[in-house]
Amino acid sequence: MPLFKTFKITQPKEYYEKFLEKDVRPDNRELGEFRPTVLNIGCVTTAEGSSLVKLGNTSVICGIKAEVAEPASDGKKGYLVPNVELPPLCSTNFKPGPPSELAQVLSQNMVDFLTDSKCVRLEDLCIVPGKLVWSLYIDLVCLDFDGNVMDACTLALMAALRNTLLPVVTVDEDSGEITTDVSIHQKLSISKCPVSTSFIIFDKKILLVDPTSEEEDLATGALTIITEGDNLCSIYKPGGTPLTDTQMKTCIDRAFLRGREAERLIEELIDK
């Protein structure tokens, strides 16, 4: 085995430090640089909406299935039901069986992301008040895992929502019969396009955006910022090394830049 590979395996932190001393990462990225991002939409023909995101070597596919359901007690709100899967296929880090802790955390993150951003108004999923609403089941499956699944999931989620077409459903007032016209579709109403940008803190002082799996393993802290246009939606900091005011401002500025880049990427595909 070459000496540098042995060094990387036996002393990963010291290996990274040699690069970071020169303000570069082992994959030749600058500290604040994202990996190449590739986005496709409409890739799952059996779904009402779908997308595929590649963020470096991390890949996530999103499919949205729509089902007619009875509303809750208010009678006017539909349902958004996201779920993130990290199957053994995507990485040896994950085993068959119940969802891993990370998968459960990411699923809850998607719930919070949709709830906090209000990018889809649940009232817009109402078909007939008091009788029928749409329930959107959002499945996010990681195909290849190499870190920063959060940002890949939120980008895939928003692209799939923008790609979602719902059939026209009518209810006969006399008989109560439900009719679905699959020849006519309506675009799902999306009021906002939030984007997440994730960072890790290395050695308690160095900020790295869009971390790889190796970088996440070495992190002393992590941070995710949700932006929408010129609005700062939320900041998620799950413990670890605290950030200075200067570091936080740097992360917020970078998050706004990334948010605008991601929004343009989605818009270019939707407009084609």
Side-chain angles (χ1 to χ4, degrees):
M1 182 182 292
L3 184 60
F4 78 92
K5 286 189 177 181
T6 303
F7 182 39
K8 179 180 178 180
I9 294 171
T10 58
Q11 301 180 66
K13 182 174 180 291
E14 290 76 9
Y15 174 82
Y16 262 82
E17 285 174 343
K18 293 295 183 183
F19 287 88
L20 298 181
E21 287 170 358
K22 301 176 182 178
D23 291 332
V24 71
R25 293 149 85 169
D27 58 8
N28 292 322
R29 281 188 293 158
E30 295 180 359
L31 309 190
E33 182 181 352
F34 263 78
R35 290 171 290 180
T37 304
V38 178
L39 173 63
N40 289 309
I41 58 173
C43 43
V44 182
T45 56
T46 56
E48 273 67 49
S50 62
S51 69
L52 174 66
V53 167
K54 282 184 64 67
L55 192 55
N57 292 325
T58 291
S59 300
V60 171
I61 192 166
C62 179
I64 299 177
K65 291 293 293 180
E67 293 184 7
V68 173
E70 293 184 1
S73 56
D74 55 34
K76 296 180 180 179
K77 293 181 180 179
Y79 307 94
L80 294 170
V81 188
N83 181 61
V84 178
E85 294 183 32
L86 300 173
L89 172 70
C90 74
S91 170
T92 55
N93 293 340
F94 308 111
K95 308 299 179 187
S100 65
E101 181 180 351
L102 178 58
Q104 295 179 59
V105 168
L106 286 167
S107 293
Q108 184 58 51
N109 286 350
M110 294 303 106
V111 172
D112 296 340
F113 177 80
L114 289 167
T115 303
D116 295 343
S117 69
K118 295 181 174 60
C119 56
V120 178
R121 296 176 67 252
L122 297 183
E123 292 84 356
D124 291 338
L125 298 177
C126 182
I127 301 170
V128 180
K131 294 183 178 179
L132 290 178
V133 296
W134 285 113
S135 182
L136 301 186
Y137 293 92
I138 304 165
D139 291 314
L140 292 141
V141 182
C142 183
L143 304 178
D144 292 291
F145 179 88
D146 187 25
N148 200 12
V149 177
M150 175 68 182
D151 289 1
C153 280
T154 54
L155 182 57
L157 170 58
M158 289 311 305
L161 286 171
R162 292 292 303 276
N163 176 242
T164 297
L165 296 173
L166 299 175
V168 173
V169 175
T170 55
V171 180
D172 187 281
E173 292 184 2
D174 297 324
S175 65
E177 181 182 359
I178 301 171
T179 304
T180 303
D181 189 346
V182 294
S183 66
I184 306 175
H185 290 85
Q186 297 175 331
K187 277 189 174 183
L188 178 65
S189 177
I190 307 295
S191 60
K192 302 174 182 178
C193 187
V195 176
S196 74
T197 305
S198 296
F199 305 80
I200 61 115
I201 304 145
F202 180 86
D203 199 23
K204 299 185 178 181
K205 57 181 182 292
I206 301 173
L207 288 169
L208 303 178
V209 71
D210 182 22
T212 63
S213 179
E214 288 179 348
E215 290 168 347
E216 288 178 341
D217 289 341
L218 295 170
T220 58
L223 174 75
T224 295
I225 298 174
I226 311 293
T227 59
E228 189 278 313
D230 294 327
N231 299 314
L232 177 61
C233 298
S234 60
I235 297 176
Y236 178 59
K237 177 76 173 67
T241 302
L243 273 68
T244 65
D245 291 345
T246 300
Q247 288 175 322
M248 183 62 77
K249 184 180 184 305
T250 297
C251 291
I252 291 173
D253 290 345
R254 184 65 186 90
F256 276 119
L257 286 173
R258 173 60 178 177
R260 286 188 277 271
E261 291 169 1
E263 286 184 52
R264 281 196 296 270
L265 187 60
I266 293 174
E267 290 296 335
E268 287 172 0
L269 283 176
I270 296 299
D271 292 341
K272 282 185 177 179

